Amino acid sequence: MRSAFRFVAVCAVCLCASASALAALGGDLSSIQSDQARLRAAVRIMPARQYTVHEMQTPAGTTIRQFVSPSGTVFAVSWQGSAPDLQQLLGDYFNEYMQAASAQPSRRGRGLHIDTGDFVFESGGHMRFVTGRAFLRSKMPSGVRSDQIR
């Protein structure tokens, strides 16, 4: 019963989230540029040694950070604010997220942590303010640590 409740709750959050499109995890740089234009968001690009962070603010006030490798692949995303559209953010990894989330026991008031080996998802907060991140270990540039993804 609890895992069914958790599955329904996760689906509800995803369906109620903003409809704006964001670059999907594992996607490329061109998808970020298209999304930024569509959102008419103020964009800040922050170069780092092994990757670049593309940061934008959605109309709902959510800050989205997309971490891009030198090869142009989005290897990680993070968010802070209103719940983002996780299906759009996670792209091809959304189904993996849904399966793993529905299999976890209900932990009301606590964050969600999923680690399937390559795909890692962490999120916490409350209905009006959430923080989270997702990344792909196999796509992370050499020398990048998971604690750098915020």
Side-chain angles (χ1 to χ4, degrees), residues 2 17 24 26 38 40 45 54 58 62 70 72 75 80 84 94-95 102 114 120 125 127 132 142 146:
R2 284 187 172 168
R38 185 177 315 129
R40 296 185 187 135
I45 299 174
H54 294 252
T58 69
T62 301
F75 68 89
Q80 177 178 329
F94 182 73
N95 288 336
S102 66
I114 296 168
V120 177
M127 289 297 275
S142 179
S146 63

Side-chain angles (χ1 to χ4, degrees), residues 57 60-63 65 79-84 123-132:
Q57 188 108 13
T62 301
T63 300
R65 291 186 184 96
W79 56 92
Q80 177 178 329
S82 300
S123 186
H126 52 80
M127 289 297 275
R128 293 192 178 127
F129 187 85
V130 295
T131 61

Side-chain angles (χ1 to χ4, degrees), residues 1-65:
M1 179 70 176
R2 284 187 172 168
S3 66
F5 173 77
R6 180 150 191 122
F7 180 76
V8 170
V10 169
C11 288
V13 168
C14 293
L15 291 174
C16 294
S18 112
S20 59
L22 300 168
L25 187 63
D28 63 20
L29 183 60
S30 65
S31 64
I32 292 174
Q33 294 164 342
S34 168
D35 295 335
Q36 290 168 345
R38 185 177 315 129
L39 287 173
R40 296 185 187 135
V43 177
R44 191 169 108 183
I45 299 174
M46 301 171 287
R49 178 173 276 178
Q50 297 116 331
Y51 56 89
T52 302
V53 178
H54 294 252
E55 180 182 271
M56 72 173 127
Q57 188 108 13
T58 69
T62 301
T63 300
I64 306 285
R65 291 186 184 96

